[in-house]
Amino acid sequence: MLDGLTCPDSDDERPYENDNLSNNIDEVDYPPNNYEYRRRDIVVVVVGIVTYFLDWGFDILTAHTHWRNKDVIWFTLTVLFLSVPSLVVTFVSLSWYIKDIANENTPKASVNRWVVRSVMLIFQLGPLLRYVDSLMYGVVSRSIGRRGNREMQKEYYSKMLYEEGDAVLLRLFECFMEAAPQLVLQLYILTQQPDSEKYGRTWEILLSLGCVTSLLSLAWGVTAHARSIRFTDHQKNNISCLGTVVLFLWHIFSLGARVSAMVLFASRFRLYLLAVCAAHWFLMVIWFMARRSFSDTCPRLLGEWLLSFLFAAVHIFTFINDKDEPTLKKYIAFYTICGIENIAMVVLWLIYANPSIWYYIPGVVFHFFSFFLGITCMVAYYKFLHPTVLPTHIVRDEGMLRQQVDSPAAV
């Protein structure tokens, strides 16, 4: 498991400036919360599994549709965008399993367990396996806790946390290496009017549904990762249910704006979009390596480079905090750069595109409205719903957490 990798909400320390707390006591999601695996935790995992299957299912169906219509180029690109990221994620997952062998703090797997892992990895289902393991450990912990076996409850709860952390991180990689490029590709195909006329309404609906599931998968991947970081960190308070919803909407709208700008640009300039993405990716790799963002996580330079490459790919579309430190300036820099890139792509498209196409104005309106809503949700989240830091004094009594605030933390 990769500890210490932070997410969009793990930022500057804040005082108890909003009344999401009751009597200065926050509802916490980490182990001191009596090690209780709740129904909402089950729902989060189930949603992750459902979105995973929907995204993959529609992508496979889309590839089959392109093949059936003898669209070799679209079929090949769709399969490549499915298979290459899947192989990378499988390699990362396998390397973590191997790394766990030498870690005395991780649960040891039996021979039968390794057989199951091998089969799942062969079929490219690494994230799903970890989701299932997390759910299994959580349910067992919940059942044992109700029978009063405190030690076993803690043991299985800790195993659940370990698998959940790995599952959401693998899903994050899978989303932005597979779902994001797939979303851009299929939307681009939809903008090609001759194809639409050739294949008919059913083809349009299928590709549109695939785009929707990809966008939902992307937004949920970031949201689940953000929640998991706080869920598994003993020093962070949780994201509330309302906070999770707003966080999800923030990423739905901001990703929608980013992808729409890319698709509009690609519909006119095609492969030049790859140059834009490559430049953005390269700058992010330099940023991560210059800061040695993953040096604590990966003792070897090769692993550090690999994580830098993976996270740089994520940052083509959205921001993920690389270190647990204040992020205000990072957010301003990231969204300023992305905003400039988006505006440049949309303006160039407006200049050179055919004004008679049906999405000439709607595409631009959608982009700017979506970007505005994304920024609004982000501001609302940090203003009213962002969890406060852990109070300065914590008292534990038989695993129960009481928080007493001696003095507010400085911003």
Side-chain angles (χ1 to χ4, degrees):
M1 176 178 174
L2 297 180
D3 299 322
L5 295 180
T6 55
C7 59
D9 68 317
S10 55
D11 62 345
D12 52 335
E13 297 184 347
R14 299 167 184 251
Y16 287 92
E17 56 190 7
N18 59 69
D19 200 18
N20 293 332
L21 310 176
S22 176
N23 299 322
N24 290 329
I25 299 178
D26 193 11
E27 176 192 4
V28 291
D29 266 351
Y30 44 80
N33 188 35
N34 204 26
Y35 290 81
E36 182 181 350
Y37 192 68
R38 297 157 301 175
R39 291 177 181 175
R40 74 183 67 172
D41 305 322
I42 297 175
V43 170
V44 168
V45 176
V46 171
V47 171
I49 294 174
V50 170
T51 55
Y52 179 86
F53 272 118
L54 282 176
D55 186 31
W56 264 77
F58 273 103
D59 286 344
I60 293 173
L61 189 57
T62 298
H64 176 263
T65 301
H66 291 320
W67 174 262
R68 187 182 59 193
N69 288 290
K70 299 180 180 179
D71 243 329
V72 178
I73 294 178
W74 299 144
F75 169 78
T76 302
L77 289 174
T78 301
V79 171
L80 282 175
F81 286 167
L82 269 171
S83 58
V84 174
S86 181
L87 289 171
V88 173
V89 170
T90 298
F91 171 78
V92 173
S93 182
L94 178 61
S95 67
W96 289 354
Y97 279 136
I98 295 175
K99 183 180 178 181
D100 287 346
I101 296 176
N103 188 348
E104 60 183 16
N105 295 321
T106 60
K108 303 306 176 184
S110 64
V111 174
N112 291 338
R113 189 65 187 152
W114 269 105
V115 171
V116 173
R117 287 177 176 178
S118 299
V119 172
M120 295 291 282
L121 291 175
I122 289 173
F123 285 96
Q124 311 296 295
L125 296 173
L128 177 62
L129 175 60
R130 292 182 183 270
Y131 271 133
V132 172
D133 284 345
S134 172
L135 184 62
M136 178 187 69
Y137 288 137
V139 171
V140 171
S141 172
R142 179 184 176 92
S143 176
I144 292 176
R146 289 182 172 181
R147 295 199 297 267
N149 191 333
R150 185 66 175 165
E151 293 304 316
M152 290 295 292
Q153 179 189 8
K154 291 181 179 180
E155 178 183 344
Y156 278 95
Y157 193 92
S158 298
K159 291 179 179 180
M160 179 277 299
L161 290 179
Y162 191 88
E163 293 297 338
E164 164 133 336
D166 282 358
V168 296
L169 193 55
L170 284 175
R171 180 65 187 282
L172 189 72
F173 292 155
E174 187 268 340
C175 281
F176 286 95
M177 288 189 298
E178 185 273 320
Q182 199 74 257
L183 175 60
V184 174
L185 173 64
Q186 303 308 327
L187 283 173
Y188 168 77
I189 295 172
L190 283 170
T191 64
Q192 307 306 297
Q193 191 66 25
D195 288 336
S196 177
E197 293 174 350
K198 173 183 176 182
Y199 298 135
R201 189 66 175 169
T202 302
W203 175 85
E204 277 189 326
I205 293 174
L206 175 62
L207 262 66
S208 298
L209 287 174
C211 292
V212 170
T213 58
S214 292
L215 182 58
L216 290 174
S217 183
L218 284 169
W220 185 254
V222 181
T223 303
H225 181 255
R227 182 184 180 279
S228 177
I229 290 295
R230 291 186 170 273
F231 189 68
T232 58
D233 194 328
H234 291 238
Q235 302 303 315
K236 295 182 183 295
N237 290 334
N238 76 307
I239 302 174
S240 66
C241 292
L242 180 58
T244 301
V245 172
V246 174
L247 188 64
F248 178 73
L249 292 175
W250 159 17
H251 291 295
I252 277 281
F253 292 128
S254 61
L255 286 166
R258 180 67 166 169
V259 169
S260 64
M262 290 180 169
V263 171
L264 291 176
F265 183 79
S267 68
R268 181 63 181 82
F269 298 97
R270 302 195 177 187
L271 293 180
Y272 284 102
L273 176 63
L274 296 180
V276 174
C277 294
H280 191 104
W281 174 82
F282 181 74
L283 287 175
M284 292 311 306
V285 170
I286 298 301
W287 163 261
F288 288 135
M289 292 305 299
R291 286 167 48 83
R292 302 297 305 276
S293 298
F294 308 113
S295 57
D296 293 337
T297 302
C298 300
R300 296 182 180 180
L301 187 62
L302 178 61
E304 189 178 343
W305 272 98
L306 177 60
L307 272 185
S308 297
F309 291 162
L310 293 177
F311 269 84
V314 173
H315 279 73
I316 293 174
F317 297 92
T318 192
F319 176 81
I320 301 291
N321 196 20
D322 57 315
K323 289 186 176 181
D324 194 2
E325 60 187 9
T327 57
L328 177 61
K329 293 181 179 179
K330 293 182 182 180
Y331 271 120
I332 293 174
F334 179 83
Y335 279 102
T336 298
I337 292 172
C338 281
I340 292 172
E341 291 176 350
N342 292 351
I343 291 173
M345 288 189 287
V346 172
V347 169
L348 285 171
W349 178 77
L350 279 172
I351 294 173
Y352 291 99
N354 182 358
S356 65
I357 54 179
W358 70 268
Y359 55 89
Y360 186 79
I361 297 301
V364 177
V365 172
F366 173 84
H367 165 73
F368 285 104
F369 188 60
S370 184
F371 188 80
F372 170 76
L373 287 178
I375 296 298
T376 300
C377 288
M378 179 180 70
V379 172
Y381 171 77
Y382 277 103
K383 182 67 176 177
F384 304 108
L385 299 167
H386 181 75
T388 54
V389 298
L390 194 65
T392 56
H393 182 62
I394 299 176
V395 180
R396 290 182 176 86
D397 181 20
E398 293 296 323
M400 298 295 294
L401 178 68
R402 296 200 318 272
Q403 303 179 10
Q404 300 176 354
V405 179
D406 297 327
S407 60
V411 176

